[in-house]
Amino acid sequence: MNSNSTATERKNPTATQTGIIALVNVDEPTHAILEECDFGSVSLMQFKNGLELSNSWKKNNLLVIAIISQGEVIAPEGINLWETLQKNSFTDIPFFLISNKVNENLTRLCIQAGVADIFSTPLRKEAIQTRVSFLVKNWRSMQNNIRPEQVTVYKIPLFKRLFDIIFSGTAIVCLSPILLIIIILMKLESKGPIFYYSLRVGTGYRVFKFFKLRTMYVNADKRLKDLAHLNQYGSRENIPAWKTDILCDECIKNGTNCQRLLYSDENSWCEKNYFNHRKALSSAFFKLKNDPRITKVGRVLRNTSIDELPQLWNVLIGDMSIVGNRPLPLYEAEKLTTDKYALRFRAPAGITGLWQVEKRGKADMSEEERLMLDNIYAENHSFLKDISLILKTIPALFQKENV
């Protein structure tokens, strides 16, 4: 189905008079189930992503009465999409999420973000038809009569925030000459961008753009399938090939564009390909010792953590703090939503932290140790302890082992 097509008419031919249920990033099987549902005198309209929905909503003055998005909770099409739409004044309608993975903590995150309901795949027609119809019909009266749950969201203390602004701003100014020299050396060694960003998950599972200096050759992500056996957190044999094709077999067969793209640092691939590969992996972290994808300049940048300098900008704008738990890529954070590990996301996201000082550069560092250190920091962090960690970080930068 063409995502730019007009609404799929059902029961009432005038979609804009009766209302539209906007479908975002919905794949063909899910769309077929939604087509069979009886939502009353409404129409369904498909959009590739939130940006297309937002633009069409404004341009065509659509009467959108509900949104159904398909994607993981901690992903661009999940709660991050709803929060973005709310910032752009697209509110006062129910937002539904369809996800492959649903558990108690993920459901709590959705409720806190204002998601009306979340459904796990495979969908049951009767359940989604009943719940969506009821909430759409009664949404306004429910919003007027029900007081929203007061959610305690971690906020960086004022004194710590002032320190972050002063520290990061001063550091950016003072380090500008060094950054200029690094940029020249990077351009001389290899082609490609100087900076890059990836989507990371920080405090309260909030997704933001995480900036770094490029330390790898271009298209390094495509070499992961050949290097999986070198994973520092556990080697695994017979791992299926990592497919980086934009279209999965199902998309190619149906002759459609990919409806469910995931994004990595400098790559994107079909969500189905990603999850098929992920089933064979048991570790939440992937790190290579003496990684051959890293450039010579990049290895020096990593061993001295100079590649982290662009994150001073993240600190300056409030995405992170100088000290905290490292923000994680989406595919890692998505695995850490149980009560045992969710605690780490109740602390500030930071450039340096407890695990970097205590364990970084040691070959015997396990995934479990790293996660427990993150939890310890979340339970015991304070401004004075942060200053101590900053002082301990300096000798930890110049480590002998490549990590």
Side-chain angles (χ1 to χ4, degrees):
M1 184 185 68
N2 189 341
S3 60
N4 290 315
S5 64
T6 58
T8 303
E9 303 295 342
R10 300 182 304 143
K11 294 194 173 183
N12 192 319
T14 310
T16 56
Q17 293 180 359
T18 58
I20 294 169
I21 295 180
L23 308 181
V24 180
N25 195 47
V26 172
D27 60 20
E28 290 292 334
T30 300
H31 186 271
I33 294 175
L34 294 174
E35 278 280 283
E36 295 176 1
C37 294
D38 182 6
F39 293 128
S41 299
V42 298
S43 299
L44 303 180
M45 182 176 283
Q46 175 84 313
F47 299 90
K48 292 180 180 179
N49 49 49
L51 180 60
E52 183 178 276
L53 167 61
S54 178
N55 291 338
S56 182
W57 199 338
K58 291 180 178 179
K59 181 179 179 180
N60 302 317
N61 196 28
L62 300 177
L63 181 57
V64 179
I65 61 174
I67 300 171
I68 300 177
S69 180
Q70 184 168 5
E72 297 310 304
V73 175
I74 310 171
E77 293 78 22
I79 57 178
N80 191 53
L81 169 61
W82 180 230
E83 290 172 349
T84 300
L85 290 174
Q86 287 179 308
K87 291 178 181 177
N88 290 285
S89 301
F90 296 121
T91 57
D92 201 29
I93 61 172
F95 179 88
F96 302 93
L97 185 60
I98 299 173
S99 178
N100 290 324
K101 181 178 180 180
V102 179
N103 60 33
E104 183 178 348
N105 281 308
L106 290 175
T107 301
R108 186 183 302 116
L109 284 173
C110 288
I111 294 174
Q112 292 174 355
V115 175
D117 211 341
I118 180 170
F119 304 92
S120 61
T121 54
L123 290 179
R124 291 190 299 114
K125 172 188 170 183
E126 295 76 13
I128 194 168
Q129 174 180 293
T130 301
R131 289 155 69 179
V132 169
S133 297
F134 175 81
L135 287 172
V136 168
K137 181 180 180 180
N138 298 281
W139 187 250
R140 289 185 180 276
S141 60
M142 291 175 63
Q143 293 298 98
N144 293 332
N145 297 325
I146 298 177
R147 180 173 296 180
E149 178 186 358
Q150 296 297 321
V151 179
T152 301
V153 180
Y154 176 84
K155 292 184 178 180
I156 299 177
L158 179 59
F159 197 68
K160 180 178 174 66
R161 179 66 187 136
L162 289 174
F163 174 81
D164 288 338
I165 293 174
I166 295 172
F167 188 102
S168 59
T170 303
I172 290 173
V173 173
C174 294
L175 295 173
S176 295
I178 297 178
L179 284 172
L180 180 59
I181 295 174
I182 291 172
I183 290 172
I184 294 174
L185 293 175
M186 290 175 64
K187 283 297 185 180
L188 289 175
E189 182 181 14
S190 63
K191 296 180 180 180
I194 299 300
F195 303 99
Y196 78 92
Y197 76 84
S198 60
L199 295 179
R200 295 293 177 98
V201 181
T203 307
Y205 290 96
R206 188 176 70 86
V207 179
F208 64 93
K209 293 180 179 179
F210 178 87
F211 297 98
K212 295 185 74 172
L213 288 170
R214 179 177 60 85
T215 59
M216 291 186 175
Y217 293 100
V218 177
N219 297 325
D221 287 336
K222 295 181 180 180
R223 299 185 60 191
L224 285 176
K225 63 181 180 181
D226 301 321
L227 303 170
H229 64 287
L230 299 176
N231 188 2
Q232 188 175 337
Y233 290 111
S235 298
R236 294 168 298 278
E237 298 179 354
N238 302 321
I239 296 178
W242 180 276
K243 294 184 179 181
T244 56
D245 303 328
I246 295 298
L247 298 180
C248 66
D249 295 338
E250 183 177 333
C251 295
I252 295 174
K253 180 179 179 181
N254 295 331
T256 62
N257 293 327
C258 185
Q259 301 295 310
R260 304 174 68 183
L261 282 177
L262 290 177
Y263 300 91
S264 182
D265 290 342
E266 294 179 342
N267 195 18
S268 60
W269 60 93
C270 180
E271 187 176 48
K272 181 178 179 181
N273 287 343
Y274 163 69
F275 280 109
N276 286 340
H277 180 80
R278 192 192 67 171
K279 290 178 182 178
L281 305 178
S282 60
S283 176
F285 299 108
F286 190 93
K287 185 182 288 291
L288 299 176
K289 183 177 180 180
N290 298 320
D291 194 335
R293 300 172 298 164
I294 302 175
T295 64
K296 294 179 180 178
V297 173
R299 195 170 301 282
V300 175
L301 297 181
R302 286 193 172 200
N303 287 347
T304 57
S305 293
I306 292 177
D307 63 316
E308 312 284 353
L309 290 181
Q311 290 155 46
L312 291 169
W313 176 251
N314 286 117
V315 174
L316 190 63
I317 63 178
D319 291 332
M320 297 169 57
S321 183
I322 295 295
V323 181
N325 288 332
R326 291 295 287 169
L328 300 179
L330 302 184
Y331 65 90
E332 291 183 5
E334 180 258 336
K335 295 183 179 183
L336 305 177
T337 57
T338 61
D339 289 335
K340 182 177 180 181
Y341 301 123
L343 178 61
R344 76 176 306 282
F345 294 101
R346 298 177 192 172
I351 293 179
T352 187
L354 183 60
W355 83 264
Q356 288 95 330
V357 171
E358 296 295 331
K359 289 290 183 178
R360 190 174 183 180
K362 296 183 179 180
D364 61 348
M365 181 187 66
S366 68
E367 178 182 328
E368 186 70 16
E369 285 178 303
R370 171 177 171 177
L371 292 170
M372 288 303 101
L373 285 171
D374 287 345
N375 282 349
I376 291 173
Y377 175 79
E379 290 182 311
N380 301 286
H381 68 278
S382 68
F383 182 72
L384 291 178
K385 290 181 179 178
D386 285 353
I387 296 299
S388 175
L389 289 175
I390 291 175
L391 296 175
K392 291 180 180 179
T393 297
I394 297 174
L397 296 179
F398 301 96
Q399 55 199 340
K400 293 181 180 181
E401 181 170 349
N402 294 331
V403 296

